[in-house]
Amino acid sequence: MHTGNALRGYEVGRLAHDRGARVVYGGIHATLFPEEPFERGAADAVVNCDGDVAWGQVLRDLEAGCAKRIYDGGKIGGDEFLAARWDLMQTDKYMWASVQTIRGCPKHCSFCSVWRTDGQKPRQRPFEKVIDEIIDLRRRGFRFIALADDNFYPVTMTDLRLAREQHNLEKVESLTQIRNERFSLMAELAKLPQDMVFFTQITMESAEDTEYLDAMRRANIKGALVGVEAVTPEGLKAVYKDFNYSGDRLVEQLQTFRKHGVHVLGSFIFGLPTDKPSTFEATVELALKAGVTFAQFVMMTPFPGTVDFGRWEKEQAENPMMVEGTPITRYWLIPTAIRPKMFTPHPLMSSDEIRERTQKVWDRFYELGAIWRRSACTPTLRARLAFVLLSKLYRQMYAGTGISTDSARRKKAKTWARWIARQTRKVFRATPMPELIYPMWRSRSTQLTQLTAPSVIKPSNSSVA
Ligand code: B12
Ligand code: SF4
């Protein structure tokens, strides 16, 4: 469970329990609130942190009748991450698959819980295992794959420079090793069938490392979500993200991605205490000027486990605001129909004003003319039309995830999103390639790992995106 689907998760868990199932919860929300699934979701057990290793133990204990209440899955090493059981999934129901290559993020943004739950030490999965899982997916007909990393760029040039200046040889070595592993992964991705498209999430600092961006392009990592968050220095400071640039330097940095063949999905947050009414217009203008291919404009939400949440919970402790008996600081337990859309009061604007202005920004960025102009980045008319559909789908999906003004609009947005998704899915899927062979990897214990056999047989008739 995530926080956003916890209430529904508990409902599903109770239904399963009533029908005689043993119910085990895990995921980020259960990790942060391990008692809640017992109180709300008829849990038999809860696994916190990583489930890769713990899950097997839970199953064995349940079978033996000696299950524990809470299992600590811990933060396992990257070499222990497991591939998903893709064989259990109805592949024709999905547009893309996702594979995580690294967990954890060295940054500490105030609105993000990743560095707290996944840790600040990047835990990298050996590239051979990532490639094997991706080949499995391509054999099943997935050609679009999200590299579902918190931060695809775990070592910055600044990190390396600082370690060298401090003569910290051990650190230089460990950072270099992480960086080299990334390049090895990208080199292997580049050998996969050329109809494959990857996208990921990355910090803006990677724009300073064009060697890295070029490797991404060669690896067919065609897009990345970049957390821009705010376009002003005050806004960036407010979210502990002052390693990002603002103003013209920000525009330049975002454009660098495009120049090196990586499309940007810019992610912006509204509702920061430093935001003013003029921030909305300034943000959308910047997004348009920077030429980001997609953009999302999310409203500030205090997710549990974050610095923002901790601060807000403390503020509320004395006299908590209640919604039908539930404190606002447990907002995920409030039924969606009566759940407020914003939780933290803003010094200048009401929640409604922030929501309406955010909607306008979405409308402006995704108006048909603007989408059509952006679609010029694709090579054919068919691809341009697909781009338009995808942009509209993205906009509709987000309109249904909390920023829409009322339930009628949300319902309409969802119906539209489903319809567009059905059309778009066709563009995403590819003919399965069961003939694709897995590489034979050389053992890690001998020097650097290299391929001992040609990576894959090339597809004969695959279309290039
Ligand atoms: C990729 C990603 C996305 C992608 C998803 C693409 C896709 N189709 O999969 C996209 C971009 C769409 C996305 C969107 C959003 N995301 Co997101 N996303 C992630 C990210 C980076 C990776 C998720 C992932 O695949 N992890 C890999 C799997 C293997 O890890 P896992 O899910 O944690 O599972 C492990 C354990 O938790 C455990 N486990 C999990 N479930 C279970 C169940 C059982 C029974 C057991 C035993 C164990 C167990 O075992 C697993 C293996 O170790 C996470 C960060 C993160 N580190 O997880 C954020 C994250 C999940 N997202 C987050 C958020 C906030 C969002 C959005 C709400 C953003 C927004 N404002 O719009 C939307 C919501 C979308 C939605 N409707 O649900 C937050 C959630 C916070 C919270 N407390 O719930 C996270 C944690 C990031 C953060 N900044 O804090 N996201
Ligand atoms: S928002 Fe991104 S950069 Fe900041 S801590 Fe989270 S994952 Fe890392």
Side-chain angles (χ1 to χ4, degrees), residues 105 107 109 111-112 115 150 203 241:
C105 176
K107 306 293 182 198
C109 307
F111 55 85
C112 176
W115 57 283
D150 303 313
T203 50
K241 205 153 186 167

Side-chain angles (χ1 to χ4, degrees), residues 102-155:
I102 193 162
R103 262 176 225 171
C105 176
K107 306 293 182 198
H108 56 275
C109 307
S110 71
F111 55 85
C112 176
S113 55
V114 156
W115 57 283
R116 292 230 161 139
T117 52
D118 281 355
Q120 287 186 286
K121 189 165 169 260
R123 290 173 289 144
Q124 197 160 196
R125 195 172 170 209
F127 70 83
E128 299 91 331
K129 293 191 178 174
V130 176
I131 298 292
D132 282 351
E133 186 170 359
I134 291 174
I135 290 179
D136 177 29
L137 286 165
R138 184 62 192 86
R139 285 164 66 109
R140 295 172 191 280
F142 280 109
R143 70 185 191 99
F144 272 80
I145 293 176
L147 302 176
D149 300 348
D150 303 313
N151 179 2
F152 193 78
Y153 187 60
V155 175

Side-chain angles (χ1 to χ4, degrees), residues 346-363:
H346 190 272
L348 288 181
M349 292 172 280
S350 70
S351 301
D352 280 344
E353 183 178 352
I354 294 174
R355 227 170 56 228
E356 276 157 28
R357 288 184 183 276
T358 305
Q359 277 292 346
K360 281 197 187 127
V361 167
W362 276 95
D363 291 343

Side-chain angles (χ1 to χ4, degrees), residues 23-65:
V23 184
V24 184
Y25 288 85
I28 184 157
H29 191 79
T31 298
L32 292 163
F33 295 96
E35 288 301 326
E36 215 176 76
F38 294 103
E39 292 156 13
R40 304 272 176 162
D44 289 286
V46 167
V47 175
N48 63 38
C49 295
D50 294 334
D52 311 55
V53 178
W55 178 238
Q57 190 59 47
V58 176
L59 292 182
R60 282 189 293 276
D61 288 357
L62 280 170
E63 204 173 33

